[in-house]
Structure formats: C-alpha cells, structure tokens
Amino acid sequence: MGEGTALSSSGQAAIDWLSEGGSGNTSAAERYALGLLKKAGITAAQEPAQDVVQEVAIRLWMYLAKPPPKELDTPVAYARTALHNHISKIKRGQTTELPEDLEQVAPPREKGKNFELLVRSELESLGREDPWLTSAALSYYTLLMHPECAENLSELPSPAAGSTEAQARCWTALWISGQRELFPPRGAGSDNALRRKRARYITQVIQRVEEARAAVALSQQAKTLQTQKGAAHA
Amino acid sequence: MPNSVYPQRLSLHAEEDSPIAFMGTLSGPAGSSLIEYPDGTILEVDHLQPAQLVQISLTGSIAGSELLLHLIGEQRMAEAIDWIELGSQAPKMLSADEFFYETPPDDQDLYGQKAEYARAFGSAGSIQRRSGSRKGSTSRAAAEVGNLVRTADFLGDTRLEPLERLLAGAEFLVQLDTRTSVQIFRPFQTQVVSAIADLAPQVSREELTELSEGPDQILESAIGNLLSVSNHYAELKFPVDPLLRKLEDLQRSQRTALRSRQDDSLVHYSRIPPALSVREPSRSARKKAVPRDVPEDYRKVEQLPSGLFRVSVSSAFSGQWVRALRKEGFLLLASAPLLPNGLLLSADLLIPPDLHENSLIFEVVKKSVLTGQPRQLDLIREAITAGRNATSAARLGNADSAAKHWEECGDLWQQAGDSRRATLAFQLAQSTFYNQS
C-alpha cells in the first residue's frame, strides 16, 4: 500500500478534482455523478452521488499511489471516466474491484499509532453489512500491524505452505469472525468450490482493510494540503 | 422489416463533458446489462427484459461508430450528428425509424425454453406491457441483441461461479453462430473463446458431472452449447463424457416420457433418501435450555496462551456477539460471534498486544448493534443484485426462489426510496407466486 508514496502532479490533479467540495458545497465531480445517476433513473441521487465520488476517489488514489508514479494526460477527463465506469458497475449491482495485486503489497509504513486508530475507526464506520466482515477486517489489521500476534496462533487453521502472508492472516481472521464453514475438517482437503468461496471471502477482507487505510491516508493528505494552502495565503 | 435494431423513438443527450447518450427506457428492478464495443460504444439493456434498450453511450465522435449505425440506423445517425454540431445542451427527441410493429418474441420462442419456464417467467412480459414507463416496442433483433448483451454480462460477472460463466460463454458463442442479427458482435469471438479457455480449468469434472445430473431438462440447451463449442473450438478443453451421457439420457427419457408419466410421482418420492426426510423436532429439543449448572448471567473473560481473549457466557446469549472497545474513546478493536463451547458460548477476540486488559471493555451485544445503517448506494447495489438473482432463478424455472428474490428486491428498492422499481419487483414476486400455485 502506498501511504506516503508521492502521486504524480497530474494524478494529484485528478484526486483534487474528486475531493473538492465538502462543507455543503456540491463539487463538479458530484454534479457529474449526479447527472449520470439521474440518467440511470436513480431518483434520489444526491446522497449516492457523494458516496460514488468518495468511493472513486479512494480507489483511484490507491491505484495512483502504487509505484511507479502514473502521469495522466487529462486528469479531469480521467476522473470523469473513472466515475462513469464506477456507475456502470453500480447499474449491475457491482463494486469496482481494487487492484488485483493487493496481496503483493509490501507491509505498511504507516504513520504511528494515531494512523492505526483512525483505520480501526474507519473499519467500524464502513461496517454496514453482516458483522463478520468488520470482525475479520479488524483481526486482519491487528495481525498486519502486530505480526508477533500470529506466533502463538498455530492451533488455528492455516493455509498450505507457499501461501502468502496475507492469505495466512485472512485464515486466522476469518476463523475468529466465525466463518468456520470455510475451513475443511482437520486433516481433510478443500474441494474446488470451498477454495473458491474462501478466496472470495479473503478478497473481501483484504479489500476492506485496504479501503479503510486508503480513506484515512487520503483524508490526512487532504488536510495537509489545506493546511499548506492556508499557510500560503497567510 | 426495420432498418435498425432499435427503431423506436430515442432521446439524444449531448451535454458538454459527458458521454453522448441515446436514451431508451429506464432500467427495471434488476438493473442493466452492458457491453462495451471495441470502438468504445457502450450498449446498455435492461437485465430483466434485455429486448428493452436502456441507453447507448459513447465518448468522442459518433460518426465512426459501426455499432451505433447498426443499432439506430443511418437516418437517425445523421439527425444526431446535425444536432451535436449545433452544440445544443438540450436533449433532442430523435424520430422513430420506419418499422412495422412486431410482437416481441417470448422467452420460449427466443431461447427454446420449455413451457414451465414460460409459466414462471412469462409474467415479466405482462408487467412490461402494463407499465407506462416501459412501453417501448421491441423487435426480434432487439431481443436477440439484448440477450447476447446479457449473456456477455454473465460471462464477465466475477461474482458468479466459473461453471456459470463458462455456460454463459458457450451460449454467447452459439448465439453468435446461429443468429444473423448479432453478427455485429463477431469481434468479441476471440475474447470470449479466450475467457472460456481461462475458465475451463477452474471447473472440475465433478461439477460437470453434477451439472449433467440436473433434476430435469432445463439444462439441456446449456449442455448442448457446451458440447457444441467443445467440438467447434479445438483450444477449449473440458471433460465432455458426463455431458454426452446426460444428452443420451435426455433423449431416452423424451422417448419414454409418455409411458412413464403415470409412475413418475412414485419414482420421485422413492428417490428421496431416508436421511433427508424431515422429522418434527421433539418439544424438548426445540426449547433452548440453559444448562442447570451454568447461571444465566455467567460471564468470564480470560486471556488464552495464544494471546486471544476469550469471553464465555451462558447459552442464554445464543446468536449474540462480543465486541471489545478501547475504554478511551470507545473505539472498536475487535468483535466475534459467540459460538458453542461445551456448555457455554465463547467468542475469541484478537486484541492489539500493546493494549492492557484494564484499558478494554468487553460487551455482549445483539448482532444488529454491530450492523450500521446501510447507505442508499449500498441498498441500490443490493436491490439490483437481488433482482439479478431473481431473473436467473426465473430463467432456471425456479419460481419459488424467483419470487423470494423479487420480494427481497422490492423491499430493498423501497428502502432506497425508489417506489417505481419496488412496485415492479413486488408485482413480479406476486405474479411469479401465482404462476407457480
């Protein structure tokens, strides 16, 4: 994950366009999303439009923050296309998937205990569905931030040798969250269907944690920029 | 014959900085199916009634879009170019193409489905005719193109199982080879073959065998499609023996269907394995008893050698959860469900090791306490997903499941504040229910 990774200036411009507004002002990005949602017959679209813009800002930031830095020819047009594609997914009941290689992402270089607490708070506020996901995401994040916790958990189910650390963390987290049916009885193997189901759950957990971390990092970045702008005006 | 796939009146939207859009009808409760043509033109149809155009959208110039020309015809294409050149931001109603009204083909006619499908799914047609917002006319070409778009959408839907996506891919290729009106989608052939080749290794022989042991003839065309693409494309490899056996069985059963009909119900019941027969649980078994030796308010918090915190309570708290909060600021640190542990219920929680037990609060709470208020956007997504599940269940002839999904879909649309789609979903739930009874 790329907290602290510098965005290209054009990438930053796309994020800025998406992150404008707030405090009662409707941004250009929100107006654009609102128009697309209304065309799709989503009648009460104001609230969803804000959420759509926020979701796209987080996903785009995660993509752009991954090295190497990416230059965009037309940042605003790029952000508009991202909004358009995201809404196309919504029309099919889907969410935009995060970058596929999240599991390959290096351990975090987060900014101290405060960042960790903010991510936990974000995980709680993102938890609007069945609580297993928040439960698993919180345990996953604890294991990520405190890898020493895993040392004594060898009694819990663990994946076969060769699996990634992220997968191993997810096995523990899913077990704690009560998703016991995802694991074969001791000594037995998993059939294809079980493996696929478990893989889907693992993806959801990792995505949720990455989403929370990105949201916090993005909000911190926005605050820093505001402070810098304020200082420049003074 | 119409000159275009969508001869009905369409409205053109060409606002600055937005994709150019040719709007048809609004999508229904199951949302849309989309396909993006190689030139960037996106065709969006209603997922429930794919013969209904929702919109065609494209960025950049429309003049070079081969798909758009095929879909709306030359005359209206020219009309649209003129309007866009004027630079007007207002929507423009394009004229209707010359066409003769055609009765929309029903599913049985179009997809070769059996009568029981039509009974379960046919209700959608009557809804479409009744609803003022969905009175678009459809042609056979629109139905065929729409069905192909929906099939492509299934193939690309990663929420579905590989076998389901594989079947969608096979259906796509067979339609491409058998329907003249969808030839415009020929550029997708290589992509679809490649997607099927990627999916095939993820589908096991057991799954194909299971498919071939389906309860009735619903899967006949799906199996036929798989066999057809397996013969046609050498690069596609999946075990076809179980499928061939199924096809032979089906042919045999069709020959003997009349003779065996009288015995059918007996055979059906005798197939139910004794282990699956449902027995009413005894009164004492149904009652959730708190063990006598565990007081109802029993509660113990301990740290296990593994470092996990275990909270144990009596079985009076069945179905509830435990959450761990940091005393300072009541920040949620961990949560876990209470699961049976001998005579007790226990939840194991992983707490950050830098926090001391004294700084923690453990609470036993109902599951609903841990579920936040859903956002409107989440409700919309869930409503569309429920609608898609209902549509799939109806296509498979599972009217009971379809009715339940439509009911769920209606509830979710209602919560999301969309009464039009909620009403449609409830009507579909009701008509599906009556059709099956």
Side-chain angles (χ1 to χ4, degrees), chain B residues 241-316:
Chain B
D241 336 350
L243 303 177
L244 284 170
R245 273 202 301 278
K246 172 67 176 176
L247 213 58
E248 283 164 14
D249 289 350
L250 284 170
Q251 283 159 359
R252 206 173 305 126
S253 70
Q254 276 165 2
R255 281 197 296 272
T256 56
L258 196 63
R259 187 155 43 85
S260 62
R261 191 167 293 157
Q262 283 180 325
D263 304 332
D264 222 21
S265 56
L266 287 172
V267 173
H268 180 72
Y269 284 114
S270 68
R271 275 183 197 147
I272 300 173
L276 292 181
S277 61
V278 181
R279 280 174 58 191
E280 184 70 14
S282 67
R283 225 179 138 77
S284 58
R286 262 182 292 160
K287 193 176 172 189
K288 202 164 280 171
V290 176
R292 280 190 196 138
D293 48 346
V294 181
E296 206 168 306
D297 60 353
Y298 175 87
R299 182 187 158 120
K300 183 180 178 189
V301 179
E302 59 188 319
Q303 188 164 20
L304 304 176
S306 62
L308 293 172
F309 278 86
R310 173 167 289 175
V311 178
S312 299
V313 293
S314 76
S315 58

Side-chain angles (χ1 to χ4, degrees), chain A residues 163-219:
Chain A
S163 304
T164 63
E165 283 180 20
Q167 281 171 327
R169 281 193 289 269
C170 275
W171 275 57
T172 305
L174 286 167
W175 179 266
I176 290 172
S177 72
Q179 300 298 312
R180 307 284 162 94
E181 78 286 355
L182 293 176
F183 303 96
R186 198 174 284 273
S190 305
D191 62 22
N192 269 351
L194 183 61
R195 259 195 290 272
R196 281 200 299 267
K197 185 174 178 190
R198 195 169 53 227
R200 275 200 299 270
Y201 276 63
I202 286 175
T203 306
Q204 281 190 68
V205 174
I206 296 175
Q207 290 207 346
R208 174 56 58 91
V209 172
E210 294 305 320
E211 198 181 339
R213 288 166 64 191
V216 173
L218 187 58
S219 121

Side-chain angles (χ1 to χ4, degrees), chain B residues 318-335:
Chain B
S318 177
Q320 298 196 26
W321 281 59
V322 175
R323 67 177 175 187
L325 305 169
R326 196 171 81 142
K327 268 184 189 164
E328 188 191 341
F330 298 103
L331 179 71
L332 180 67
L333 298 167
S335 59

Side-chain angles (χ1 to χ4, degrees), chain A residues 108-169:
Chain A
R109 297 176 298 281
E110 326 229 71
K111 298 149 188 153
K113 192 69 191 166
N114 191 39
F115 191 93
E116 183 182 337
L117 298 179
L118 288 170
V119 171
R120 288 184 187 284
S121 171
E122 185 67 23
L123 283 172
E124 185 181 1
S125 67
L126 287 172
R128 292 175 291 263
E129 64 295 273
D130 194 299
W132 76 263
L133 181 54
T134 306
S135 164
L138 284 165
S139 297
Y140 177 94
Y141 191 56
T142 300
L143 289 164
L144 184 74
M145 299 305 293
H146 306 278
E148 68 276 17
C149 289
E151 286 165 16
N152 300 319
L153 295 171
S154 53
E155 284 299 299
L156 302 189
S158 54
S163 304
T164 63
E165 283 180 20
Q167 281 171 327
R169 281 193 289 269

Side-chain angles (χ1 to χ4, degrees), chain B residues 312-362:
Chain B
S312 299
V313 293
S314 76
S315 58
F317 295 93
S318 177
Q320 298 196 26
W321 281 59
V322 175
R323 67 177 175 187
L325 305 169
R326 196 171 81 142
K327 268 184 189 164
E328 188 191 341
F330 298 103
L331 179 71
L332 180 67
L333 298 167
S335 59
L338 282 161
L339 299 172
N341 175 24
L343 295 174
L344 301 167
L345 295 171
S346 297
D348 293 345
L349 298 104
L350 182 63
I351 307 292
D354 52 354
L355 290 171
H356 192 267
E357 191 177 342
N358 293 340
S359 62
L360 306 172
I361 302 171
F362 292 96

Side-chain angles (χ1 to χ4, degrees), chain A residues 32 39-41 48 55 80 90-95 97 113 120 127-128 130 135 152 176 196 200, chain B residues 15 17 23 32 44 55 153 158-159 161-162 202 207 306 335 348 352 354 372 375-376 378 381 421:
Chain A
Y32 183 75
K39 270 187 194 155
E55 286 183 358
R80 277 203 195 101
I90 292 167
K91 289 172 181 177
R92 287 180 275 180
Q94 298 174 0
T95 48
E97 283 161 21
K113 192 69 191 166
R120 288 184 187 284
R128 292 175 291 263
D130 194 299
S135 164
N152 300 319
I176 290 172
R196 281 200 299 267
R200 275 200 299 270
Chain B
E15 294 105 11
D17 297 331
M23 310 291 291
S32 307
E44 182 178 339
Q55 64 169 295
D153 199 277
T158 52
R159 292 170 299 179
E161 291 292 326
Q202 298 174 46
E207 284 171 290
S306 62
S335 59
D348 293 345
D354 52 354
R375 298 177 309 172
Q376 217 174 2
D378 298 324
R381 279 196 181 106
R421 289 184 174 98

